Amino acid sequence: MRRTCRPILAAMVLSMSIAPAAHAAKAPTGYQAASAALQWTELQRLDRQFWPTLPQFNTGLQPGSTAQANVAVSYLYVGKDRKRQGASVDSTIVVYADARAARRGYAEARKVADAGGTTVTGPKVPAAQYRYFTRDAEGFAVRTLRWRVGRVIGRITAVDAPSHPWSSAELARLFRDVAPRAAKLSAGRLRGPDAQTRERQAEVLPAAGLAPGREIGTIALPPEAWASQDSTGHPRAALRELVGSRVFGIDQRNWLVDDHPGVTVSVVWFGFARPMEAAGFVEDFVAETGKQGLDAGDTGPTAGFRNANGFYELQFAAGAQVGDVACWAPFETKPPKACERVVRDLAEGWYAQLSAP
């Protein structure tokens, strides 16, 4: 069963760069930006058939932007209705240095990212600026609420089958949960992860000396976030396998790669109850990779490395832990040649760290 941290399609994600002004407010962490986005528990009140994917911290992909942080959180439909396969609910958060810059960002998003949308009516929401619009895309009905709160802009977009269109009222209901967190984020008062999560991530994620570039996001994940992207089309089976392997923790961190604009590296750490469960998890990946895989380097006896159309991914087992390292350039037309070396070097250093007594 294939389990891979494939990136979200570029068309679904806004991308901005880190370029804070001289007197900019303190830039938020990727975790804080993700915490302000739509949460899974909030979406479940409307539809329980959507699972979270791995969030995308796509900061740094559009030169000239004054955004300080950007995150896209998506939830994929995992129900049995074939007409709805491919449906998603997406929530983005983009933070600027001040409200003036955010107004410019909002105007630019309306002009570029939202181009072609038809404005529709909807309930009033607690935002300084907002707009509802619809569009049709590849057999799906798309409805979006674009909004700005202080120095934060974002959107909630529902992509679903024409037989199951989302209403403006449903998006407004979801945004009422997002709005107070966006206000706190704008004011610099939104809290980061708890102390226990920070301590675990500091211990198990790659040490600072291994970082391939600027960190743009770290977050703890539920197992559904991995299982929802199972390429066999059976996310519930993937979840049963993952939970059956007794995974107790999943953490993700993303970086931009120094000297390679637009290239992103992501690591995902899995903590299992026993080494045999960790090894079994990676063996599925190795079996799929087969003899056509790349050299996994010095990452232990249970490891695999592959290049799937420019998406480089290496997975290894280290005791009761699993490391997954991926590299891609979501907005590039050609596969990034640097990714193979970057992934292998990072994976070798991380394997040594996790294997140390």
Side-chain angles (χ1 to χ4, degrees), residues 149-204:
V149 174
R151 64 187 182 109
V152 182
I153 74 167
R155 63 178 171 88
I156 298 177
T157 297
V159 181
D160 218 319
S163 60
H164 200 280
W166 289 65
S167 67
S168 295
E170 288 175 302
L171 299 188
R173 181 179 175 184
L174 293 175
F175 179 67
R176 282 195 290 269
D177 293 314
V178 173
R181 293 194 298 272
K184 287 184 178 180
L185 183 64
S186 177
R189 294 187 288 105
L190 193 63
R191 298 181 61 183
D194 59 64
Q196 185 176 5
T197 299
R198 289 198 305 270
E199 182 178 354
R200 181 185 71 211
Q201 292 171 341
E203 180 180 348
V204 303

Side-chain angles (χ1 to χ4, degrees), residues 91-348:
S91 176
T92 66
I93 296 289
V94 186
V95 189
Y96 293 86
D98 52 43
R100 177 181 295 181
R103 285 193 291 271
R104 291 196 295 267
Y106 180 88
E108 182 68 13
R110 284 198 55 168
K111 179 181 178 181
V112 179
D114 303 347
T118 300
T119 300
V120 295
T121 60
K124 184 178 180 180
V125 294
Q129 294 175 275
Y130 66 92
R131 174 200 180 209
Y132 297 93
F133 64 92
T134 63
R135 60 159 60 103
D136 294 325
E138 297 182 356
F140 285 93
V142 182
R143 184 172 295 249
T144 295
L145 167 59
R146 166 76 61 196
W147 54 267
R148 180 181 71 83
V149 174
R151 64 187 182 109
V152 182
I153 74 167
R155 63 178 171 88
I156 298 177
T157 297
V159 181
D160 218 319
S163 60
H164 200 280
W166 289 65
S167 67
S168 295
E170 288 175 302
L171 299 188
R173 181 179 175 184
L174 293 175
F175 179 67
R176 282 195 290 269
D177 293 314
V178 173
R181 293 194 298 272
K184 287 184 178 180
L185 183 64
S186 177
R189 294 187 288 105
L190 193 63
R191 298 181 61 183
D194 59 64
Q196 185 176 5
T197 299
R198 289 198 305 270
E199 182 178 354
R200 181 185 71 211
Q201 292 171 341
E203 180 180 348
V204 303
L205 292 176
L210 298 176
R214 176 184 296 175
E215 180 190 337
I216 53 175
T218 299
I219 196 168
L221 300 163
E224 286 84 355
W226 187 264
S228 66
Q229 297 175 102
D230 175 63
S231 62
T232 65
H234 300 286
R236 295 184 186 279
L239 179 63
R240 287 194 297 270
E241 183 178 349
L242 189 57
V243 173
S245 298
R246 296 195 292 176
V247 65
F248 64 84
I250 303 177
D251 292 298
Q252 176 191 1
R253 176 167 292 167
N254 284 24
W255 297 271
L256 296 175
V257 179
D258 287 344
D259 303 323
H260 297 285
V263 175
T264 297
V265 170
S266 173
V267 299
V268 182
W269 171 88
F270 302 82
F272 290 90
R274 297 183 299 176
M276 63 178 296
E277 276 114 14
F281 182 83
V282 177
E283 284 168 0
D284 287 344
F285 181 90
V286 174
E288 284 189 13
T289 301
K291 297 181 180 180
Q292 303 303 315
L294 303 171
D295 177 14
D298 188 9
T299 55
T302 308
F305 189 12
R306 65 188 175 201
N307 171 17
N309 299 318
F311 183 75
Y312 291 78
E313 184 178 16
L314 191 159
Q315 195 172 100
F316 64 81
Q321 304 172 92
V322 167
D324 186 279
V325 184
C327 177
W328 71 100
F331 295 89
E332 297 292 331
T333 56
K334 295 182 179 180
K337 295 181 180 180
C339 270
E340 181 175 352
R341 176 185 56 80
V342 170
V343 168
R344 187 181 293 110
D345 289 349
L346 175 56
E348 287 182 337

